[in-house]
Amino acid sequence: MDLSIALITCSDTRDVDSDEAGAALAALVDAAGWTVVGHVVVRDDRERIASEIVRAVDELAADVVITCGGTGLSPRDVTPEATRDACERDVPGIAEAMRAYSMSKTRRAMLSRAVCMQRGRALVVNFPGSTKAARENWEAIADQLEHAVRMAAGEGH
C-alpha cells in the first residue's frame, strides 16, 4: 500500500531547508516506500497549524499527517490543541504507544503531550521536534500505519 504522508514541522526557528527532524522523517517515509505529498514548516501558532492540517488532508489528500514539534510543556507548544481543532476523533493508542516506546529511551518522554486523531479518514499524529525523538517515535508506530489507514477507510481488519 502506498501511503500519502504530509509533514508539518511546527517551529518558530526553522525553515524547510534547516528542518532536520522533518528531513529525517521524509527519508523514513521514502525508505518505507511511501510518498511525501507535502512538507511545510509553520510557526508555533495554533490557528496556522490547524489550517495546515486541514490543507494536508482536504487538499493534498494525505492518508497520514505527521506534525513535528510543539508537543512539550512550553507555553508556545500548541500542536496538540491545534490537532484537536482540526480533527474529529481521538486515536489515543498510537500516542500512548509512542510515549511507552520512548520511555524505554528516556524518562522525559512522559512530558510529551502528543496526540493522534482522525480528520475524516486521515490520521494526524504529533511527533516531537528533535530528530532523535522523531526517529524513535517513527520506530514505535510505522509498522501499524498501513493497517490503521485501511481501518480508517472502512476496510476493517
Side-chain angles (χ1 to χ4, degrees):
M1 171 178 220
D2 182 20
L3 295 183
S4 299
I5 299 181
L7 303 172
I8 301 170
T9 298
C10 308
S11 173
D12 288 338
T13 59
R14 289 186 233 154
D15 57 25
V16 171
D17 293 334
S18 64
D19 178 17
E20 293 177 16
L25 288 168
L28 291 166
V29 169
D30 185 59
W34 300 328
T35 304
V36 174
V37 295
H39 181 186
V40 297
V41 176
V42 299
R43 62 185 158 80
D44 290 308
D45 175 82
R46 184 172 174 167
E47 289 180 23
R48 174 78 178 170
I49 296 165
S51 175
E52 285 298 328
I53 292 169
V54 169
R55 186 180 78 78
V57 175
D58 296 359
E59 295 178 26
L60 301 178
D63 298 309
V64 178
V65 177
I66 297 174
T67 67
C68 186
T71 61
L73 300 176
S74 165
R76 291 181 347 176
D77 291 334
V78 295
T79 303
E81 290 79 14
T83 302
R84 287 186 186 98
D85 292 345
C87 296
E88 299 94 25
R89 296 175 63 187
D90 281 319
V91 186
I94 292 176
E96 291 165 6
M98 290 172 15
R99 272 187 285 279
Y101 185 82
S102 292
M103 281 287 293
S104 71
K105 313 284 184 188
T106 176
R107 303 245 323 129
R108 292 197 176 154
M110 70 176 71
L111 303 177
S112 171
R113 298 182 317 108
V115 299
C116 177
M117 298 190 73
Q118 279 182 272
R119 177 175 177 81
R121 293 182 172 187
L123 285 177
V124 179
V125 187
N126 298 161
F127 275 45
S130 86
T131 303
K132 178 182 179 293
R135 284 188 180 117
E136 288 170 1
N137 279 255
W138 177 265
E139 290 171 13
I141 68 164
D143 66 337
Q144 297 303 308
L145 291 178
E146 286 183 357
H147 184 70
V149 167
R150 282 189 185 105
M151 287 182 63
E155 295 178 26
H157 301 283

